[in-house]
Amino acid sequence: MHTKTSRHILELSVQEQKDFINSFDFVLSDCDGVVWLILSPLPNTGRTINLLKSEGKKCIFVTNNSFNNDEQFLEKFASVGTNLVKSEDVINPNKAIAMYLKKYKPGERVFSVNNHVANEVFRNNGIDIETLDITDNLDPASLARLIRPDHQVGAVVIDINFNLNYAELAKAYQYLLDKDCELIMGGSDTHMPMSADMVTLGFVDFAKYLSKYSHKQPIALGKPSPRFGDIIKEMYNITTPKRCLFIGDSLSSDIAFGTVCGFQTLLVLTGTSTKEEMLVAEENLRPDYYADSLADFIELFQNIKLTKEHTTLQDGVYIHIYPDNLNEDINLKIKDNNHNPFFFHVSWCNNDF
């Protein structure tokens, strides 16, 4: 029997919504499936980020996306309507793996079964990486020559690689037969949200493939690994995890990560996981809250700002403000001391009433 009940943030009472907003200082959010889809934007997400920042929330973006560089991330944030995100606000496996290699494998060569963006990050951090580019058709003899190690490497790194091929995996396996060679992987996503009508396979099973046949336990430096969480807590000086809200679209990646890190969790239904999957998920995969989209925060903040119940005025009447059109105007319903109601229509020109 499940004991955790996931509540929709717009179905909370106004007081519960206030308590919810006041319960966290950090917003840690996934990107793909939350702020945008890989190939298309999501509506009003940039506006939501701007709003959260204006309310004093520290926003950090924790993504397993290793195929975009910092410049591309900032372009994507701008495309959804926010210029308030800086490159240091985004952490992904590339940055975490580079930090790990510099700390634990200094000066050692690394074989990368990874994408060109990740490899560039590693090179820019002074890491000596080897890659394998295949241009010719291979037969067994040429494959054997190609994958035979002629030196040692300190680690094999594998993550998202849209051009991954068998020869890369075969050479990685040969390197991993060395007992001192570590297997390092990025995220553990089983699926990727490409667009509103397409979800495709992730890359985690390629890492599992190498792990299974090399008998090496991978060092995971992406969600949902707690080691990745420790890096994030240290980077952003997070000392009270419960004062953090983690927002994601994947139960197995994001919600599992937030739970193991001790964060509050919120699932948005714009990516890979559905409400139906959430309702039957195991306890550690059930979020504290859920929302149809990140943009639900806009309505939540408007509920808090607009609804002021029974505010007493000096002349003895009280006022009840309720939202009529959440984007433009409000109606005032005023009752006199005999509880006789009368109405005013009010247009506003800023966020303060």
Side-chain angles (χ1 to χ4, degrees):
M1 174 179 285
H2 297 302
T3 58
K4 179 187 285 188
T5 300
S6 304
R7 303 187 66 189
H8 197 295
I9 61 172
L10 296 182
E11 294 177 359
L12 303 173
S13 69
V14 174
Q15 185 58 53
E16 288 173 325
Q17 290 177 340
K18 291 179 181 178
D19 293 342
F20 167 60
I21 292 297
N22 291 331
S23 71
F24 57 87
D25 308 305
F26 281 83
V27 173
L28 287 80
S29 175
D30 186 23
C31 293
D32 299 326
V34 178
V35 182
W36 53 69
L37 302 172
I38 291 175
L39 297 178
S40 59
L42 288 168
N44 290 318
T45 54
R47 181 182 170 195
T48 303
I49 293 167
N50 294 339
L51 179 58
L52 288 164
K53 282 180 166 286
S54 73
E55 294 292 329
K57 306 303 180 183
K58 175 69 173 176
C59 296
I60 305 298
F61 297 91
V62 183
T63 175
N64 280 346
N65 179 330
S66 64
F67 51 86
N68 286 141
N69 59 30
D70 282 345
E71 182 179 353
Q72 291 168 324
F73 275 122
L74 298 188
E75 288 174 354
K76 289 179 79 72
F77 280 111
S79 73
V80 297
T82 181
N83 293 306
L84 300 181
V85 179
K86 309 303 179 186
S87 60
E88 57 266 27
D89 299 330
V90 181
I91 176 70
N92 68 356
N94 295 345
K95 296 180 180 180
I97 291 170
M99 292 169 61
Y100 178 89
L101 291 172
K102 290 170 69 174
K103 183 174 182 178
Y104 295 106
K105 296 285 182 177
E108 296 190 45
R109 198 171 202 191
V110 172
F111 182 65
S112 178
V113 187
N114 217 324
N115 61 77
H116 72 279
V117 170
N119 293 336
E120 191 64 24
V121 170
F122 302 154
R123 291 189 182 100
N124 289 341
N125 278 272
I127 297 165
D128 179 17
I129 68 164
E130 174 189 344
T131 60
L132 184 62
D133 297 317
I134 306 298
T135 58
D136 299 324
N137 292 326
L138 297 175
D139 58 27
S142 58
L143 174 67
R145 289 193 299 270
L146 191 66
I147 67 175
R148 185 182 301 279
D150 55 10
H151 55 268
Q152 288 184 311
V153 298
V156 167
V157 178
I158 184 169
D159 201 1
I160 298 171
N161 183 356
F162 300 126
N163 298 298
L164 181 68
N165 60 66
Y166 171 77
E168 288 179 296
L169 293 173
K171 188 155 192 175
Y173 170 73
Q174 293 300 317
Y175 279 131
L176 288 167
L177 294 178
D178 179 353
K179 64 181 179 59
D180 295 322
C181 180
E182 294 183 342
L183 174 60
I184 301 173
M185 62 179 285
S188 298
D189 298 88
T190 59
H191 295 83
M192 296 190 298
M194 303 297 287
S195 62
D197 61 352
M198 179 184 290
V199 174
T200 194
L201 299 174
F203 283 79
V204 64
D205 286 295
F206 294 110
K208 290 180 177 179
Y209 177 79
L210 289 177
S211 175
K212 177 180 178 179
Y213 292 106
S214 68
H215 307 291
K216 294 285 179 72
Q217 183 65 30
I219 297 167
L221 294 173
K223 297 177 295 183
S225 167
R227 189 191 293 259
F228 189 42
D230 291 341
I231 290 173
I232 292 166
K233 290 173 185 177
E234 182 177 351
M235 285 183 65
Y236 298 105
N237 194 29
I238 295 173
T239 58
T240 310
K242 273 299 179 186
R243 297 289 305 173
C244 300
L245 177 69
F246 197 92
I247 304 173
D249 68 297
S250 167
L251 294 170
S252 60
S253 177
D254 298 314
I255 303 307
F257 178 70
T259 300
V260 76
C261 290
F263 304 143
Q264 297 184 65
T265 54
L266 185 151
L267 179 75
V268 293
L269 303 177
T270 46
T272 58
S273 294
T274 66
K275 181 178 178 180
E276 290 72 26
E277 290 169 336
M278 178 191 75
L279 293 175
V280 298
E282 296 296 323
E283 186 79 7
N284 67 315
L285 300 181
R286 289 174 66 83
D288 299 302
Y289 304 95
Y290 73 101
D292 292 337
S293 72
L294 188 66
D296 282 356
F297 273 97
I298 297 173
E299 183 174 344
L300 184 146
F301 276 112
Q302 288 173 328
N303 289 344
I304 292 172
K305 286 179 180 289
L306 291 179
T307 305
K308 302 179 184 293
E309 297 200 72
H310 297 172
T311 301
T312 302
L313 304 180
Q314 287 184 352
D315 60 1
V317 301
Y318 61 87
I319 185 171
H320 176 71
I321 303 176
Y322 63 96
D324 181 45
N325 184 321
L326 288 173
N327 294 316
E328 298 174 0
D329 300 345
I330 57 173
N331 288 323
L332 295 186
K333 178 180 179 181
I334 297 180
K335 295 182 180 181
D336 62 20
N337 288 335
N338 294 320
H339 294 275
N340 297 312
F342 51 98
F343 300 86
F344 291 95
H345 183 78
V346 178
S347 296
W348 60 358
C349 59
N350 57 50
N351 287 332
D352 296 318
F353 177 71

